[in-house]
Amino acid sequence: MKDPKAVGMAAAALALAAIPWGVEAQLARNSRAPVDITADQLELVNSQCSAIYRGGAEALQETSRLRSDQLKIIYAPAPAGAGKNGCSTDLLRMEATGSVFYVTPEQRVRGDQAVYDAKAQTLTVTGSVVASRGQDAMKGERLVVNTVSGDARMEGGGDRSSRRVRTVIYPGARPDAPK
């Protein structure tokens, strides 16, 4: 039988590795490198202080990549009289929807939707979530990570066995690069 403490620590480490964004909307942890975003279409909605990238949206920073069907970035309103469009450059929220993939040299995370809340400093990935590092994998319906503390919670989708949280750990295995 596997040591429950070791399994719990490995699951927590895997969840911590699944953090795609930092407080400054970083894709690569502790990076000041530029974030390069491409998509088929960009819509700027100044009245809502948002930028919406549609059609194969992809954001790259160093060796980290976030892909989704749509990526919406929401900024805080600017203080009164501070700008023409009334929006600041302070990030409030990022929303990735549709076939969400986040890949770094160390880990992969997949889900249907991901939301980074800058004020709460949380990342929430929902919808058939799979987080993996090397051979180790964790599956569930909702992953919530505090990007400051690293605390994470994976939730299942109910009592049915196919919707429970599942973690597979290969003790002693060397983490390989994502494929």
Side-chain angles (χ1 to χ4, degrees):
M1 182 181 336
K2 294 180 182 175
D3 177 7
K5 186 175 181 182
V7 171
M9 289 173 58
L14 184 61
L16 177 60
I19 301 172
W21 299 302
V23 176
E24 297 176 355
Q26 298 180 99
L27 297 175
R29 294 188 78 192
N30 301 317
S31 177
R32 301 287 256 156
V35 177
D36 181 5
I37 303 172
T38 59
D40 294 336
Q41 179 185 39
L42 168 60
E43 177 182 2
L44 297 173
V45 185
N46 288 332
S47 63
Q48 297 175 8
C49 294
S50 66
I52 305 165
Y53 296 86
R54 291 189 181 93
E58 183 172 51
L60 301 168
Q61 185 179 38
E62 292 183 348
T63 58
S64 298
R65 175 179 21 183
L66 171 68
R67 290 185 316 178
S68 62
D69 296 336
Q70 178 175 294
L71 178 62
K72 182 176 184 179
I73 301 172
I74 303 165
Y75 299 96
K84 292 181 184 177
N85 68 7
C87 301
S88 73
T89 58
D90 296 332
L91 176 74
L92 288 180
R93 186 176 169 99
M94 290 178 71
E95 301 171 354
T97 54
S99 301
V100 175
F101 289 94
Y102 173 69
V103 180
T104 72
E106 298 84 31
Q107 73 248 351
R108 298 175 301 269
V109 178
R110 180 185 73 201
D112 296 330
Q113 180 176 359
V115 175
Y116 172 71
D117 182 326
K119 184 176 180 179
Q121 298 177 325
T122 58
L123 169 71
T124 303
V125 183
T126 57
S128 300
V129 179
V130 177
S132 61
R133 178 176 223 162
Q135 293 178 301
D136 299 340
M138 180 171 47
K139 294 181 180 183
E141 289 299 313
R142 184 170 188 253
L143 173 64
V144 180
V145 181
N146 180 299
T147 62
V148 175
S149 69
D151 293 343
R153 181 178 68 250
M154 178 69 89
E155 300 171 1
D159 294 331
R160 298 192 323 246
S161 63
S162 65
R163 295 186 56 181
R164 294 172 47 136
V165 172
R166 181 174 186 183
T167 303
V168 178
I169 300 169
Y170 293 84
R174 185 177 154 265
D176 295 327
K179 297 176 178 149

